[in-house]
Amino acid sequence: HESGKTYDGKGSKERSQTSARRVEKDTGDKHVATEWTPAKDERGAFKDESKRLDSHGGAKSDGNHNQIESPGKKKRIEDGEL
């Protein structure tokens, strides 16, 4: 986003664009770019989302627009990654 804040999510590239527009509408922070990568399965997608969110300061950080923790955090704990 224009402010430099990020939004981390899970889903298709199309879904990422929908989320970007929603965040822009909700916050006024213009969407400028999307970084999207595929995951091998849904569990992996949640875990990837959690890792990205952690790298951007975690939920509710001043550096991103994410307001809730990713369900992937719990999956990472279950898998012994955290």
Side-chain angles (χ1 to χ4, degrees):
H1 290 270
E2 197 167 61
S3 69
K5 288 186 174 187
T6 59
Y7 178 79
D8 296 295
K10 175 193 99 49
S12 67
K13 188 158 188 162
E14 181 179 301
R15 171 111 168 86
S16 72
Q17 298 303 298
T18 300
S19 294
R21 287 189 297 273
R22 178 185 50 79
V23 168
E24 181 176 334
K25 181 181 176 193
D26 291 350
T27 66
D29 192 4
K30 185 176 178 180
H31 176 246
V32 295
T34 299
E35 185 177 309
W36 181 87
T37 54
K40 66 179 184 173
D41 57 31
E42 186 172 7
R43 185 176 188 86
F46 275 120
K47 289 168 57 174
D48 290 347
E49 173 192 48
S50 172
K51 291 173 192 173
R52 285 191 306 274
L53 182 54
D54 282 354
S55 77
H56 295 134
K60 298 186 181 180
S61 166
D62 289 339
N64 66 58
H65 290 294
N66 293 77
Q67 294 300 304
I68 60 171
E69 186 57 71
S70 167
K73 174 84 87 177
K74 183 178 178 184
K75 294 174 186 337
R76 292 169 64 203
I77 292 168
E78 291 169 352
D79 292 348
E81 296 176 16
L82 291 176

